[in-house]
Amino acid sequence: MRRQLATVVLVCAAATAAGPAGAMVDKLGPGEGEVSIVAWPGYVERGETDKAYDWVTGFEAQTGCKVDVKTAGTSDEMVALMNEGGFDLVTASGDASLRLVAGKKVQEINTALIPSWSTVDPRLQGAPWHTVGGKHFGVPYQWGPNVLMYNTEVFKQPPTSWNVVFEETILPDGKSNQGRVQAFDGPIHIADAALYLMAHQPELGIKDPYELTEEQYQAALTLLRQQNKIVQRYWHDAMMQVDDFTNEGVVASGSWPFQVNLLKSKNAPIDSTIPAEGATGWADTTMLHADAEHPNCAYLWLEHSLSPKLQGDLAAWFGSVPSVPAACKGNELLTDQGCATNGIDDFEKIRFWRTPVAKCATQPAGCVPYYRWVTDYIAILGGR
């Protein structure tokens, strides 16, 4: 099943390890000439897709550090790559970051070596998905919601519920949604099902989509098995999803603003919404590998990643929200309305990705841990 068997072993090993990550860098020297980054698609652009979006070329010219990028489509893939080693940095979401800390695969960040640290949104500086015991294990990058992307020729009005991708139903064009919708190819998608159930089966008592009792968890799996019958593809490749919406008749799916913006730039009949049930989301952090071969270039990139120009350009390109509020003003590509459009005021409404653990805050009896999410979601995908 694709890469999943190897992922299970590596992810579970990281999730069960304990203790602090690598030693913190105390001073910087000259750049080593290169830096390697594991990143989400669209996160490290050098103008190859659109010349207007390039925050790599200038960095390379200024620092002499050549940027090498390996894109990853899921958090589990990122954890696996960081476990394999050979990379300096990773743009990790909250369902990967603490696993990397626990697995000792990333090191504490010396914020004194990052002059722009003070410009980071205070809501992100000490966020629990990268801060452990008062120590920072990453630099906030971007954040945003997992949106419901839809075809405007099928949905003349934005869909108001996630039911269009979870349950078999007749869409506004009079046809079934079977074979016309997608779901995310990652165990964290179980949280989307749990969020949906919070609204539609309140008697389950779900308080947090990442903290599920056995009964709540089984209800989420039941919903996902039902979804399995109508899904055209479980997506993890953003560009493949773009192609599926363009050429394969897919009309609705959970997605990222990146795909929405790319399709709209091609004049495709596409838009997105956050339905009544709310949305999960991601707050991504650039983390430094415990055994980084190029720490000086890595720290130069960490500082560069917080520049208002990069932050604003990336937010415009990806449809995300900058971690540096100053980026919201004066950026030609983002415009002064861009941060509001991308959801800067929705921070408190988003259920940000987080690694599920057995000892949880909202359920005194305990919760289903992440390794179960991994194995059970693979079983659901295998049921096709």
Side-chain angles (χ1 to χ4, degrees):
M1 288 182 203
R2 305 178 185 88
R3 62 197 174 280
Q4 288 145 324
L5 181 57
T7 298
V8 170
V9 175
L10 291 167
V11 167
C12 290
T16 56
M24 182 176 68
V25 174
D26 58 2
K27 63 180 180 179
L28 296 180
E32 302 88 354
E34 61 181 298
V35 61
S36 57
I37 308 174
V38 178
W40 292 106
Y43 256 22
V44 182
E45 291 291 304
R46 60 167 67 250
E48 293 173 330
T49 305
D50 187 322
K51 292 182 180 179
Y53 297 91
D54 180 359
W55 43 91
V56 171
T57 303
F59 170 81
E60 291 179 331
Q62 182 179 4
T63 65
C65 300
K66 182 181 182 299
V67 177
D68 180 58
V69 181
K70 168 69 174 179
T71 59
T74 69
S75 289
D76 289 348
E77 187 177 354
M78 288 186 172
V79 172
L81 288 168
M82 291 294 280
N83 271 288
E84 291 172 10
F87 300 98
D88 299 304
L89 298 167
V90 60
T91 60
S93 296
D95 60 328
S97 52
L98 292 182
R99 282 185 278 159
L100 292 171
V101 174
K104 302 182 182 180
K105 294 302 177 183
V106 292
Q107 60 181 274
E108 181 184 356
I109 296 297
N110 188 342
T111 59
L113 300 178
I114 304 173
S116 296
W117 175 263
S118 62
T119 68
V120 174
D121 188 330
R123 298 177 298 182
L124 298 171
Q125 285 185 351
W129 48 83
H130 70 82
T131 306
V132 179
K135 298 179 179 180
H136 303 291
F137 288 89
V139 174
Y141 197 43
Q142 298 270 297
W143 62 272
N146 293 313
V147 298
L148 175 56
M149 182 164 66
Y150 63 92
N151 185 303
T152 57
E153 293 179 346
V154 173
F155 297 90
K156 301 301 183 183
Q157 299 294 326
T160 59
S161 172
W162 287 100
N163 75 304
V164 297
V165 297
F166 276 118
E167 302 178 15
E168 185 173 359
T169 187
I170 301 300
L171 300 181
D173 63 357
K175 302 176 183 177
S176 171
N177 62 346
Q178 187 168 12
R180 305 170 71 197
V181 299
Q182 293 186 338
F184 186 57
D185 178 15
I188 204 66
H189 182 55
I190 295 174
D192 293 282
L195 183 65
Y196 181 76
L197 292 175
M198 287 177 69
H200 294 272
Q201 294 186 31
E203 66 276 11
L204 286 170
I206 299 174
K207 299 176 182 178
D208 185 314
Y210 306 99
E211 298 185 355
L212 305 177
T213 65
E214 187 65 37
E215 179 186 7
Q216 295 164 351
Y217 179 73
Q218 291 301 326
L221 294 184
T222 297
L223 178 61
L224 292 169
R225 293 186 188 101
Q226 174 179 295
Q227 183 186 49
N228 180 270
K229 298 175 183 178
I230 62 172
V231 165
Q232 177 261 0
R233 187 198 305 275
Y234 288 91
W235 73 274
H236 65 273
D237 184 319
M239 299 310 295
M240 182 174 290
Q241 186 180 58
V242 167
D243 184 70
D244 287 340
F245 268 77
T246 304
N247 301 312
E248 300 300 328
V250 177
V251 300
S253 177
S255 188
W256 301 326
F258 172 69
Q259 291 95 298
V260 177
N261 286 353
L262 187 56
L263 283 163
K264 292 175 77 170
S265 74
K266 299 176 182 295
N267 297 315
I270 294 296
D271 210 339
S272 66
T273 187
I274 295 179
E277 299 92 351
T280 59
W282 34 270
D284 295 340
T285 307
T286 309
M287 310 183 84
L288 178 61
H289 199 288
D291 301 316
E293 295 180 15
H294 314 104
N296 298 307
C297 279
Y299 264 88
L300 289 172
W301 178 266
L302 290 173
E303 169 62 19
H304 176 63
S305 75
L306 296 179
S307 68
K309 180 71 165 66
L310 182 157
Q311 285 278 318
D313 289 358
L314 174 53
W317 174 247
F318 203 84
S320 51
V321 181
S323 67
V324 175
C328 292
K329 298 295 182 182
N331 185 286
E332 181 179 353
L333 296 172
L334 182 61
T335 76
D336 287 356
Q337 292 75 43
C339 284
T341 299
N342 292 355
I344 194 170
D345 297 321
D346 295 332
F347 187 88
E348 301 299 334
K349 301 176 183 178
I350 298 173
R351 302 282 187 157
F352 288 104
W353 280 353
R354 196 171 75 249
T355 302
V357 294
K359 186 178 181 180
C360 55
T362 63
Q363 303 293 346
C367 295
V368 177
Y370 187 68
Y371 78 88
R372 290 271 309 280
W373 289 45
V374 173
T375 55
D376 289 334
Y377 198 67
I378 290 174
I380 288 171
L381 268 60
R384 294 181 63 75

